Each structure stands twice: as structure tokens, then as C-alpha cells.
Short mmCIF file of all heavy atoms in Angstrom, two decimals:
data_model
loop_
_atom_site.label_atom_id
_atom_site.label_comp_id
_atom_site.label_asym_id
_atom_site.label_seq_id
_atom_site.Cartn_x
_atom_site.Cartn_y
_atom_site.Cartn_z
N MET A 1 -6.52 -11.15 12.50
CA MET A 1 -5.12 -11.27 13.04
C MET A 1 -4.52 -9.93 12.70
O MET A 1 -4.44 -9.54 11.55
CB MET A 1 -4.45 -12.41 12.57
CG MET A 1 -3.02 -12.58 12.96
SD MET A 1 -2.22 -14.00 12.68
CE MET A 1 -2.99 -15.01 13.95
N ASP A 2 -3.85 -9.35 13.69
CA ASP A 2 -3.14 -8.12 13.51
C ASP A 2 -1.75 -8.33 13.12
O ASP A 2 -1.19 -9.49 13.12
CB ASP A 2 -3.29 -7.18 14.62
CG ASP A 2 -2.55 -7.63 15.90
OD1 ASP A 2 -1.89 -8.67 15.80
OD2 ASP A 2 -2.80 -7.03 16.90
N LYS A 3 -1.17 -7.32 12.58
CA LYS A 3 0.35 -7.17 12.18
C LYS A 3 1.24 -7.80 13.19
O LYS A 3 2.12 -8.64 12.85
CB LYS A 3 0.73 -5.81 11.77
CG LYS A 3 1.81 -5.85 10.78
CD LYS A 3 2.11 -4.39 10.26
CE LYS A 3 3.08 -4.34 9.30
NZ LYS A 3 3.23 -3.03 8.72
N PHE A 4 1.06 -7.43 14.54
CA PHE A 4 1.82 -7.90 15.57
C PHE A 4 1.90 -9.36 15.74
O PHE A 4 2.88 -10.07 15.89
CB PHE A 4 1.47 -7.19 16.90
CG PHE A 4 2.29 -7.68 18.06
CD1 PHE A 4 3.50 -7.33 18.19
CD2 PHE A 4 1.65 -8.55 19.02
CE1 PHE A 4 4.22 -7.78 19.36
CE2 PHE A 4 2.31 -9.00 20.15
CZ PHE A 4 3.66 -8.64 20.26
N GLU A 5 0.59 -10.00 15.71
CA GLU A 5 0.47 -11.43 15.88
C GLU A 5 1.19 -12.11 14.68
O GLU A 5 1.84 -13.20 14.86
CB GLU A 5 -0.96 -11.83 15.91
CG GLU A 5 -1.50 -11.44 17.17
CD GLU A 5 -3.10 -11.78 17.39
OE1 GLU A 5 -3.75 -11.80 16.35
OE2 GLU A 5 -3.51 -12.08 18.41
N LEU A 6 1.16 -11.61 13.45
CA LEU A 6 1.66 -12.23 12.32
C LEU A 6 3.26 -12.13 12.39
O LEU A 6 3.90 -13.09 12.10
CB LEU A 6 1.30 -11.50 10.98
CG LEU A 6 -0.10 -11.86 10.52
CD1 LEU A 6 -0.47 -11.05 9.32
CD2 LEU A 6 -0.15 -13.32 10.10
N GLU A 7 3.72 -11.09 12.97
CA GLU A 7 5.18 -10.92 13.07
C GLU A 7 5.64 -11.92 14.17
O GLU A 7 6.68 -12.48 14.08
CB GLU A 7 5.44 -9.47 13.51
CG GLU A 7 7.01 -9.23 13.78
CD GLU A 7 7.80 -9.40 12.49
OE1 GLU A 7 7.26 -9.23 11.37
OE2 GLU A 7 9.04 -9.66 12.66
N LYS A 8 4.90 -12.08 15.22
CA LYS A 8 5.21 -13.02 16.27
C LYS A 8 5.22 -14.45 15.78
O LYS A 8 6.18 -15.18 16.04
CB LYS A 8 4.25 -12.85 17.44
CG LYS A 8 4.65 -13.45 18.73
CD LYS A 8 3.65 -12.96 19.84
CE LYS A 8 2.78 -13.97 20.17
NZ LYS A 8 1.83 -13.77 21.38
N LEU A 9 4.27 -14.74 14.93
CA LEU A 9 4.25 -16.16 14.26
C LEU A 9 5.38 -16.29 13.27
O LEU A 9 5.99 -17.32 13.34
CB LEU A 9 2.89 -16.32 13.54
CG LEU A 9 2.73 -17.67 12.86
CD1 LEU A 9 2.57 -18.70 13.96
CD2 LEU A 9 1.35 -17.56 12.05
N SER A 10 5.77 -15.23 12.60
CA SER A 10 6.89 -15.37 11.75
C SER A 10 8.16 -15.71 12.50
O SER A 10 9.04 -16.25 12.09
CB SER A 10 6.97 -14.03 10.95
OG SER A 10 8.07 -14.13 10.16
N LEU A 11 8.31 -14.87 13.62
CA LEU A 11 9.61 -15.14 14.42
C LEU A 11 9.63 -16.48 15.10
O LEU A 11 10.64 -17.11 15.13
CB LEU A 11 9.59 -14.03 15.65
CG LEU A 11 9.91 -12.59 15.18
CD1 LEU A 11 9.69 -11.67 16.34
CD2 LEU A 11 11.27 -12.47 14.48
N LYS A 12 8.45 -17.12 15.44
CA LYS A 12 8.43 -18.44 15.98
C LYS A 12 8.84 -19.39 14.76
O LYS A 12 9.57 -20.41 15.14
CB LYS A 12 7.09 -18.82 16.39
CG LYS A 12 6.70 -18.33 17.85
CD LYS A 12 5.36 -18.90 18.26
CE LYS A 12 5.02 -18.25 19.68
NZ LYS A 12 3.80 -18.82 20.08
N MET A 13 8.40 -19.28 13.58
CA MET A 13 8.80 -20.05 12.47
C MET A 13 10.21 -19.97 12.18
O MET A 13 10.85 -20.98 11.90
CB MET A 13 8.04 -19.80 11.33
CG MET A 13 6.50 -20.01 11.45
SD MET A 13 5.41 -19.46 10.26
CE MET A 13 5.77 -20.58 8.93
N GLU A 14 10.70 -18.81 12.28
CA GLU A 14 12.22 -18.55 12.01
C GLU A 14 13.06 -19.28 13.18
O GLU A 14 14.07 -19.95 12.85
CB GLU A 14 12.52 -17.06 12.06
CG GLU A 14 13.99 -16.73 11.62
CD GLU A 14 14.15 -15.22 11.44
OE1 GLU A 14 13.18 -14.48 11.05
OE2 GLU A 14 15.22 -14.73 11.88
N ALA A 15 12.56 -19.11 14.43
CA ALA A 15 13.27 -19.91 15.57
C ALA A 15 13.27 -21.43 15.35
O ALA A 15 14.19 -22.04 15.59
CB ALA A 15 12.64 -19.43 16.83
N LEU A 16 12.08 -21.88 14.91
CA LEU A 16 11.94 -23.41 14.53
C LEU A 16 12.96 -23.71 13.49
O LEU A 16 13.70 -24.84 13.63
CB LEU A 16 10.47 -23.56 14.17
CG LEU A 16 10.08 -25.06 13.90
CD1 LEU A 16 10.10 -25.80 15.15
CD2 LEU A 16 8.69 -25.03 13.29
N ASP A 17 12.99 -22.94 12.50
CA ASP A 17 14.05 -23.23 11.44
C ASP A 17 15.52 -23.22 11.87
O ASP A 17 16.19 -24.12 11.55
CB ASP A 17 13.81 -22.26 10.40
CG ASP A 17 14.66 -22.55 9.05
OD1 ASP A 17 14.66 -23.71 8.58
OD2 ASP A 17 15.34 -21.56 8.69
N ASP A 18 15.73 -22.29 12.74
CA ASP A 18 17.11 -22.09 13.33
C ASP A 18 17.51 -23.43 14.16
O ASP A 18 18.53 -23.91 14.13
CB ASP A 18 17.28 -20.82 14.13
CG ASP A 18 17.30 -19.61 13.26
OD1 ASP A 18 17.45 -19.74 11.98
OD2 ASP A 18 17.12 -18.46 13.82
N LEU A 19 16.45 -23.83 14.98
CA LEU A 19 16.67 -24.93 15.82
C LEU A 19 16.82 -26.17 15.06
O LEU A 19 17.74 -26.98 15.44
CB LEU A 19 15.42 -25.10 16.91
CG LEU A 19 15.67 -26.23 17.88
CD1 LEU A 19 16.97 -26.16 18.73
CD2 LEU A 19 14.42 -26.23 18.86
N LEU A 20 16.07 -26.45 13.99
CA LEU A 20 16.18 -27.57 13.12
C LEU A 20 17.58 -27.54 12.56
O LEU A 20 18.20 -28.59 12.52
CB LEU A 20 15.21 -27.58 12.10
CG LEU A 20 13.74 -28.04 12.53
CD1 LEU A 20 12.72 -27.67 11.47
CD2 LEU A 20 13.80 -29.48 12.82
N LEU A 21 18.03 -26.40 12.09
CA LEU A 21 19.29 -26.31 11.45
C LEU A 21 20.43 -26.70 12.34
O LEU A 21 21.40 -27.44 12.07
CB LEU A 21 19.51 -24.92 10.80
CG LEU A 21 20.89 -24.78 10.12
CD1 LEU A 21 21.03 -25.80 8.94
CD2 LEU A 21 20.96 -23.31 9.68
N ALA A 22 20.43 -26.14 13.66
CA ALA A 22 21.38 -26.50 14.70
C ALA A 22 21.38 -27.95 15.07
O ALA A 22 22.54 -28.50 15.17
CB ALA A 22 21.09 -25.63 15.86
N MET A 23 20.23 -28.53 14.99
CA MET A 23 20.15 -29.98 15.29
C MET A 23 20.74 -30.84 14.25
O MET A 23 21.58 -31.79 14.43
CB MET A 23 18.82 -30.44 15.59
CG MET A 23 18.27 -29.81 17.00
SD MET A 23 16.48 -30.27 17.25
CE MET A 23 16.55 -31.99 17.72
N GLU A 24 20.58 -30.36 12.94
CA GLU A 24 21.05 -31.00 11.74
C GLU A 24 22.66 -31.00 11.85
O GLU A 24 23.29 -31.83 11.61
CB GLU A 24 20.51 -30.44 10.55
CG GLU A 24 20.97 -31.15 9.23
CD GLU A 24 20.49 -30.48 8.03
OE1 GLU A 24 19.88 -29.31 8.03
OE2 GLU A 24 20.61 -30.96 6.96
N GLU A 25 23.09 -29.79 12.02
CA GLU A 25 24.60 -29.51 12.13
C GLU A 25 25.19 -30.33 13.29
O GLU A 25 26.28 -30.90 13.03
CB GLU A 25 24.94 -28.09 12.26
CG GLU A 25 24.52 -27.21 11.08
CD GLU A 25 24.84 -25.79 11.27
OE1 GLU A 25 25.33 -25.41 12.40
OE2 GLU A 25 24.68 -24.96 10.31
N ALA A 26 24.58 -30.46 14.35
CA ALA A 26 25.15 -31.24 15.47
C ALA A 26 25.22 -32.69 15.07
O ALA A 26 26.23 -33.41 15.41
CB ALA A 26 24.22 -31.12 16.69
N ILE A 27 24.18 -33.27 14.36
CA ILE A 27 24.13 -34.59 13.98
C ILE A 27 25.36 -34.80 12.93
O ILE A 27 26.12 -35.74 13.09
CB ILE A 27 22.86 -35.04 13.33
CG1 ILE A 27 21.84 -35.14 14.45
CG2 ILE A 27 22.94 -36.34 12.53
CD1 ILE A 27 20.42 -35.30 13.85
N PHE A 28 25.39 -33.92 11.95
CA PHE A 28 26.48 -34.01 10.98
C PHE A 28 27.85 -34.00 11.50
O PHE A 28 28.76 -34.70 11.05
CB PHE A 28 26.23 -32.90 9.87
CG PHE A 28 27.32 -32.96 8.78
CD1 PHE A 28 27.17 -33.88 7.81
CD2 PHE A 28 28.38 -31.98 8.75
CE1 PHE A 28 27.95 -33.96 6.78
CE2 PHE A 28 29.25 -32.15 7.73
CZ PHE A 28 29.08 -33.02 6.71
N ASN A 29 28.04 -33.12 12.55
CA ASN A 29 29.28 -32.98 13.16
C ASN A 29 29.63 -33.99 14.31
O ASN A 29 30.70 -33.93 14.86
CB ASN A 29 29.65 -31.56 13.70
CG ASN A 29 29.68 -30.52 12.52
OD1 ASN A 29 30.05 -30.84 11.51
ND2 ASN A 29 28.93 -29.33 12.75
N GLU A 30 28.54 -34.84 14.56
CA GLU A 30 28.71 -35.76 15.71
C GLU A 30 29.08 -34.98 17.10
O GLU A 30 29.77 -35.51 17.91
CB GLU A 30 29.61 -36.92 15.36
CG GLU A 30 29.22 -37.69 14.18
CD GLU A 30 30.29 -38.76 13.82
OE1 GLU A 30 31.16 -39.06 14.66
OE2 GLU A 30 30.13 -39.39 12.68
N ASN A 31 28.56 -33.86 17.18
CA ASN A 31 28.66 -33.07 18.38
C ASN A 31 27.30 -32.86 19.12
O ASN A 31 26.80 -31.73 19.06
CB ASN A 31 29.34 -31.75 17.96
CG ASN A 31 29.76 -30.87 19.15
OD1 ASN A 31 29.87 -31.36 20.30
ND2 ASN A 31 29.85 -29.59 19.03
N TYR A 32 26.84 -33.86 19.78
CA TYR A 32 25.56 -33.64 20.39
C TYR A 32 25.50 -34.67 21.62
O TYR A 32 26.21 -35.67 21.58
CB TYR A 32 24.30 -33.78 19.51
CG TYR A 32 24.40 -35.31 18.91
CD1 TYR A 32 23.62 -36.31 19.40
CD2 TYR A 32 25.04 -35.50 17.69
CE1 TYR A 32 23.67 -37.63 18.87
CE2 TYR A 32 24.97 -36.75 17.12
CZ TYR A 32 24.36 -37.81 17.73
OH TYR A 32 24.28 -39.11 17.22
N SER A 33 24.53 -34.29 22.56
CA SER A 33 24.27 -35.20 23.68
C SER A 33 22.83 -35.61 23.55
O SER A 33 21.94 -34.81 22.97
CB SER A 33 24.47 -34.58 25.00
OG SER A 33 23.48 -33.70 25.30
N VAL A 34 22.50 -36.84 23.90
CA VAL A 34 21.07 -37.25 23.71
C VAL A 34 20.17 -36.38 24.56
O VAL A 34 19.04 -36.03 24.15
CB VAL A 34 20.95 -38.75 24.23
CG1 VAL A 34 19.56 -39.21 24.33
CG2 VAL A 34 21.75 -39.65 23.43
N GLN A 35 20.49 -35.93 25.76
CA GLN A 35 19.67 -35.17 26.59
C GLN A 35 19.32 -33.80 25.86
O GLN A 35 18.20 -33.33 25.89
CB GLN A 35 20.27 -34.75 27.98
CG GLN A 35 19.45 -34.06 28.92
CD GLN A 35 18.13 -34.78 29.15
OE1 GLN A 35 18.01 -35.97 29.24
NE2 GLN A 35 17.03 -33.93 29.25
N ASN A 36 20.41 -33.15 25.29
CA ASN A 36 20.12 -31.98 24.55
C ASN A 36 19.13 -32.20 23.37
O ASN A 36 18.32 -31.31 23.11
CB ASN A 36 21.39 -31.40 24.04
CG ASN A 36 22.28 -30.83 25.05
OD1 ASN A 36 21.77 -30.55 26.20
ND2 ASN A 36 23.42 -30.49 24.63
N PHE A 37 19.29 -33.37 22.68
CA PHE A 37 18.44 -33.68 21.63
C PHE A 37 16.91 -33.86 22.12
O PHE A 37 15.98 -33.49 21.53
CB PHE A 37 18.93 -34.84 20.76
CG PHE A 37 19.45 -34.29 19.51
CD1 PHE A 37 20.81 -33.71 19.58
CD2 PHE A 37 18.96 -34.55 18.30
CE1 PHE A 37 21.44 -33.28 18.44
CE2 PHE A 37 19.59 -34.10 17.16
CZ PHE A 37 20.76 -33.38 17.20
N ARG A 38 16.82 -34.51 23.27
CA ARG A 38 15.48 -34.79 23.77
C ARG A 38 14.88 -33.42 24.06
O ARG A 38 13.67 -33.25 23.88
CB ARG A 38 15.59 -35.56 24.96
CG ARG A 38 15.80 -37.11 24.71
CD ARG A 38 15.80 -37.91 25.93
NE ARG A 38 16.00 -39.22 25.70
CZ ARG A 38 16.60 -40.14 26.45
NH1 ARG A 38 17.04 -39.86 27.61
NH2 ARG A 38 16.80 -41.40 25.97
N SER A 39 15.63 -32.55 24.68
CA SER A 39 15.08 -31.19 25.07
C SER A 39 14.75 -30.50 23.71
O SER A 39 13.71 -29.81 23.71
CB SER A 39 16.08 -30.37 25.94
OG SER A 39 16.34 -31.01 27.18
N GLY A 40 15.58 -30.46 22.79
CA GLY A 40 15.38 -29.69 21.55
C GLY A 40 14.17 -30.33 20.82
O GLY A 40 13.44 -29.53 20.27
N PHE A 41 14.09 -31.58 20.86
CA PHE A 41 12.96 -32.18 20.10
C PHE A 41 11.54 -31.85 20.79
O PHE A 41 10.60 -31.62 20.12
CB PHE A 41 13.09 -33.72 20.04
CG PHE A 41 12.14 -34.32 19.08
CD1 PHE A 41 12.29 -34.27 17.82
CD2 PHE A 41 11.12 -35.07 19.59
CE1 PHE A 41 11.31 -34.73 16.90
CE2 PHE A 41 10.08 -35.65 18.82
CZ PHE A 41 10.16 -35.49 17.42
N ALA A 42 11.65 -31.84 22.21
CA ALA A 42 10.43 -31.39 22.86
C ALA A 42 9.98 -30.00 22.59
O ALA A 42 8.84 -29.72 22.33
CB ALA A 42 10.63 -31.59 24.29
N TYR A 43 11.06 -29.17 22.44
CA TYR A 43 10.85 -27.70 22.20
C TYR A 43 10.28 -27.63 20.65
O TYR A 43 9.34 -26.83 20.41
CB TYR A 43 12.12 -26.96 22.35
CG TYR A 43 11.92 -25.48 22.29
CD1 TYR A 43 11.17 -24.84 23.26
CD2 TYR A 43 12.55 -24.83 21.33
CE1 TYR A 43 10.95 -23.43 23.19
CE2 TYR A 43 12.44 -23.41 21.24
CZ TYR A 43 11.60 -22.68 22.16
OH TYR A 43 11.45 -21.31 22.11
N LEU A 44 10.92 -28.29 19.83
CA LEU A 44 10.37 -28.37 18.42
C LEU A 44 8.95 -28.78 18.32
O LEU A 44 8.13 -28.09 17.60
CB LEU A 44 11.33 -29.40 17.54
CG LEU A 44 12.64 -28.86 17.10
CD1 LEU A 44 13.33 -30.10 16.44
CD2 LEU A 44 12.44 -27.74 16.07
N THR A 45 8.61 -29.78 18.92
CA THR A 45 7.23 -30.20 18.85
C THR A 45 6.25 -29.27 19.51
O THR A 45 5.18 -28.96 18.92
CB THR A 45 6.97 -31.70 19.48
OG1 THR A 45 7.44 -31.61 20.84
CG2 THR A 45 7.68 -32.67 18.69
N ASP A 46 6.61 -28.61 20.63
CA ASP A 46 5.77 -27.67 21.19
C ASP A 46 5.71 -26.38 20.28
O ASP A 46 4.50 -25.93 19.99
CB ASP A 46 6.40 -27.16 22.56
CG ASP A 46 6.21 -28.16 23.67
OD1 ASP A 46 5.40 -29.16 23.49
OD2 ASP A 46 6.87 -28.00 24.79
N MET A 47 6.62 -25.92 19.74
CA MET A 47 6.64 -24.80 18.84
C MET A 47 5.91 -25.17 17.53
O MET A 47 5.05 -24.25 17.08
CB MET A 47 8.06 -24.35 18.47
CG MET A 47 8.77 -23.57 19.54
SD MET A 47 10.37 -23.09 19.03
CE MET A 47 10.08 -22.06 17.61
N SER A 48 6.05 -26.36 17.06
CA SER A 48 5.31 -26.82 15.91
C SER A 48 3.74 -26.78 16.07
O SER A 48 2.95 -26.27 15.35
CB SER A 48 5.76 -28.08 15.36
OG SER A 48 7.09 -28.11 15.05
N ASN A 49 3.42 -27.29 17.27
CA ASN A 49 2.04 -27.35 17.56
C ASN A 49 1.45 -25.90 17.75
O ASN A 49 0.28 -25.68 17.31
CB ASN A 49 1.82 -28.19 18.86
CG ASN A 49 1.86 -29.59 18.65
OD1 ASN A 49 1.65 -30.16 17.63
ND2 ASN A 49 2.41 -30.33 19.76
N GLU A 50 2.14 -25.06 18.40
CA GLU A 50 1.80 -23.69 18.50
C GLU A 50 1.56 -23.00 17.22
O GLU A 50 0.55 -22.42 16.96
CB GLU A 50 2.71 -22.87 19.34
CG GLU A 50 2.83 -23.05 20.81
CD GLU A 50 3.83 -22.26 21.41
OE1 GLU A 50 4.05 -21.13 21.08
OE2 GLU A 50 4.29 -22.72 22.51
N ILE A 51 2.55 -23.14 16.33
CA ILE A 51 2.38 -22.58 14.99
C ILE A 51 1.25 -23.21 14.19
O ILE A 51 0.49 -22.49 13.54
CB ILE A 51 3.73 -22.76 14.25
CG1 ILE A 51 4.84 -21.90 14.83
CG2 ILE A 51 3.59 -22.43 12.70
CD1 ILE A 51 6.27 -22.23 14.41
N SER A 52 1.17 -24.49 14.29
CA SER A 52 0.01 -25.11 13.61
C SER A 52 -1.34 -24.76 14.09
O SER A 52 -2.28 -24.41 13.30
CB SER A 52 0.08 -26.66 13.80
OG SER A 52 -0.95 -27.39 13.20
N ASP A 53 -1.46 -24.56 15.33
CA ASP A 53 -2.76 -24.05 15.98
C ASP A 53 -3.04 -22.53 15.47
O ASP A 53 -4.23 -22.30 15.14
CB ASP A 53 -2.69 -24.06 17.44
CG ASP A 53 -2.70 -25.44 18.03
OD1 ASP A 53 -3.11 -26.47 17.23
OD2 ASP A 53 -2.42 -25.68 19.20
N LYS A 54 -2.02 -21.77 15.50
CA LYS A 54 -2.17 -20.44 15.00
C LYS A 54 -2.57 -20.34 13.51
O LYS A 54 -3.49 -19.59 13.09
CB LYS A 54 -0.95 -19.61 15.26
CG LYS A 54 -1.16 -18.14 15.35
CD LYS A 54 -2.19 -17.92 16.40
CE LYS A 54 -1.92 -16.57 17.09
NZ LYS A 54 -2.95 -16.11 17.93
N LEU A 55 -2.04 -21.18 12.72
CA LEU A 55 -2.24 -21.22 11.30
C LEU A 55 -3.63 -21.67 11.07
O LEU A 55 -4.42 -21.19 10.18
CB LEU A 55 -1.27 -22.15 10.57
CG LEU A 55 0.14 -21.53 10.36
CD1 LEU A 55 1.10 -22.43 9.78
CD2 LEU A 55 0.14 -20.19 9.53
N LYS A 56 -4.13 -22.58 11.93
CA LYS A 56 -5.51 -23.16 11.74
C LYS A 56 -6.44 -21.96 12.07
O LYS A 56 -7.62 -21.89 11.38
CB LYS A 56 -5.78 -24.31 12.64
CG LYS A 56 -5.16 -25.57 12.12
CD LYS A 56 -5.31 -26.68 13.16
CE LYS A 56 -4.53 -27.94 12.78
NZ LYS A 56 -4.63 -29.05 13.90
N GLU A 57 -6.11 -21.22 13.06
CA GLU A 57 -7.05 -20.03 13.44
C GLU A 57 -7.12 -19.05 12.26
O GLU A 57 -8.18 -18.58 11.98
CB GLU A 57 -6.35 -19.31 14.59
CG GLU A 57 -6.74 -19.71 15.92
CD GLU A 57 -6.14 -18.89 16.97
OE1 GLU A 57 -6.11 -17.67 16.86
OE2 GLU A 57 -5.62 -19.43 18.02
N ILE A 58 -5.92 -18.84 11.67
CA ILE A 58 -5.90 -17.89 10.49
C ILE A 58 -6.80 -18.40 9.38
O ILE A 58 -7.64 -17.61 8.79
CB ILE A 58 -4.40 -17.60 10.15
CG1 ILE A 58 -3.62 -16.95 11.10
CG2 ILE A 58 -4.49 -16.91 8.84
CD1 ILE A 58 -2.12 -16.93 10.76
N VAL A 59 -6.70 -19.63 9.12
CA VAL A 59 -7.51 -20.31 7.97
C VAL A 59 -8.95 -20.14 8.32
O VAL A 59 -9.65 -19.81 7.47
CB VAL A 59 -7.02 -21.74 7.73
CG1 VAL A 59 -8.02 -22.42 6.78
CG2 VAL A 59 -5.65 -21.72 7.15
N LYS A 60 -9.29 -20.55 9.57
CA LYS A 60 -10.69 -20.44 9.86
C LYS A 60 -11.22 -18.94 9.75
O LYS A 60 -12.36 -18.68 9.23
CB LYS A 60 -10.93 -20.82 11.37
CG LYS A 60 -10.87 -22.37 11.47
CD LYS A 60 -11.08 -22.72 12.92
CE LYS A 60 -11.02 -24.17 13.25
NZ LYS A 60 -11.08 -24.53 14.55
N GLU A 61 -10.39 -18.09 10.15
CA GLU A 61 -10.79 -16.62 10.12
C GLU A 61 -10.94 -16.23 8.60
O GLU A 61 -11.97 -15.45 8.36
CB GLU A 61 -9.72 -15.74 10.79
CG GLU A 61 -10.10 -14.46 11.07
CD GLU A 61 -9.05 -13.58 11.88
OE1 GLU A 61 -8.68 -14.07 13.00
OE2 GLU A 61 -8.52 -12.61 11.36
N VAL A 62 -10.08 -16.63 7.77
CA VAL A 62 -10.19 -16.21 6.35
C VAL A 62 -11.37 -16.87 5.76
O VAL A 62 -12.18 -16.09 5.01
CB VAL A 62 -8.82 -16.74 5.57
CG1 VAL A 62 -9.02 -16.58 4.20
CG2 VAL A 62 -7.69 -15.87 6.09
N PHE A 63 -11.70 -18.11 6.09
CA PHE A 63 -12.84 -18.71 5.39
C PHE A 63 -14.16 -18.06 5.97
O PHE A 63 -15.06 -17.94 5.31
CB PHE A 63 -12.95 -20.24 5.73
CG PHE A 63 -11.96 -20.92 4.64
CD1 PHE A 63 -10.79 -21.63 5.10
CD2 PHE A 63 -12.41 -21.00 3.40
CE1 PHE A 63 -10.00 -22.27 4.27
CE2 PHE A 63 -11.55 -21.79 2.43
CZ PHE A 63 -10.40 -22.32 2.83
N LYS A 64 -14.15 -17.77 7.24
CA LYS A 64 -15.29 -17.18 7.94
C LYS A 64 -15.63 -15.81 7.26
O LYS A 64 -16.70 -15.53 6.93
CB LYS A 64 -15.09 -16.99 9.47
CG LYS A 64 -16.19 -16.37 10.21
CD LYS A 64 -16.01 -16.37 11.73
CE LYS A 64 -14.89 -15.36 11.99
NZ LYS A 64 -14.79 -15.26 13.43
N ASN A 65 -14.54 -15.03 6.99
CA ASN A 65 -14.58 -13.62 6.34
C ASN A 65 -15.05 -13.90 4.81
O ASN A 65 -15.79 -13.06 4.31
CB ASN A 65 -13.36 -12.97 6.44
CG ASN A 65 -12.97 -12.50 7.81
OD1 ASN A 65 -13.92 -12.43 8.70
ND2 ASN A 65 -11.80 -12.21 8.12
N ASP A 66 -14.58 -14.93 4.15
CA ASP A 66 -14.90 -15.18 2.84
C ASP A 66 -16.44 -15.53 2.78
O ASP A 66 -17.12 -15.13 1.72
CB ASP A 66 -14.15 -16.25 2.19
CG ASP A 66 -12.85 -15.76 1.86
OD1 ASP A 66 -12.46 -14.61 1.79
OD2 ASP A 66 -11.85 -16.64 1.27
N LYS A 67 -17.01 -16.22 3.60
CA LYS A 67 -18.46 -16.60 3.63
C LYS A 67 -19.24 -15.46 3.82
O LYS A 67 -20.42 -15.43 3.36
CB LYS A 67 -18.76 -17.65 4.65
CG LYS A 67 -18.17 -19.06 4.40
CD LYS A 67 -18.47 -20.09 5.44
CE LYS A 67 -17.84 -21.36 5.11
NZ LYS A 67 -18.16 -22.31 6.18
N ARG A 68 -18.80 -14.51 4.54
CA ARG A 68 -19.59 -13.14 4.71
C ARG A 68 -19.77 -12.38 3.53
O ARG A 68 -20.71 -11.67 3.38
CB ARG A 68 -19.00 -12.33 5.81
CG ARG A 68 -19.04 -12.90 7.18
CD ARG A 68 -18.48 -11.99 8.19
NE ARG A 68 -18.29 -12.60 9.47
CZ ARG A 68 -17.59 -12.10 10.44
NH1 ARG A 68 -16.99 -11.00 10.31
NH2 ARG A 68 -17.47 -12.73 11.57
N LYS A 69 -18.91 -12.49 2.51
CA LYS A 69 -18.90 -11.68 1.32
C LYS A 69 -20.02 -12.19 0.34
O LYS A 69 -20.35 -13.13 0.24
CB LYS A 69 -17.61 -11.67 0.58
CG LYS A 69 -16.60 -10.86 1.50
CD LYS A 69 -15.28 -10.87 0.87
CE LYS A 69 -14.11 -10.17 1.78
NZ LYS A 69 -12.90 -10.15 1.24
#
């Protein structure tokens, strides 16, 4: 995995964190709509799955490289 892909993954994780924080603040301030939360939650799950898949790739790559040594 190159530096660009790692940076992209990092930005996705940061966006995920920001979205979670925004949703938490909306709940705390009672300033939200159910439709927005449904959309936000769908986006969260999609992003989480993408990040998870990418991290699994990284782990497989690392273990594959370790076995070669």
C-alpha cells in the first residue's frame, strides 16, 4: 500500500469521526430529523465497511510479507 492510499484511508477515518461527532451533538442538542439520521447512519456504515475492508487488506499484505522473510 502506498502513501497516497494510506492518506486516503486516514481522511476517511477522520470524516467518519467528524460525522459521528456531528450526530452525537445533534442528539445532545435535540436538533435532528429522523431522515437525516437514517442517511447519516447509512453513510457511517458504508464508510466503516470500506475502512474495515481496507484495513483487512493491509493486515493480509503485512502477514504475507512477513511470511516471505
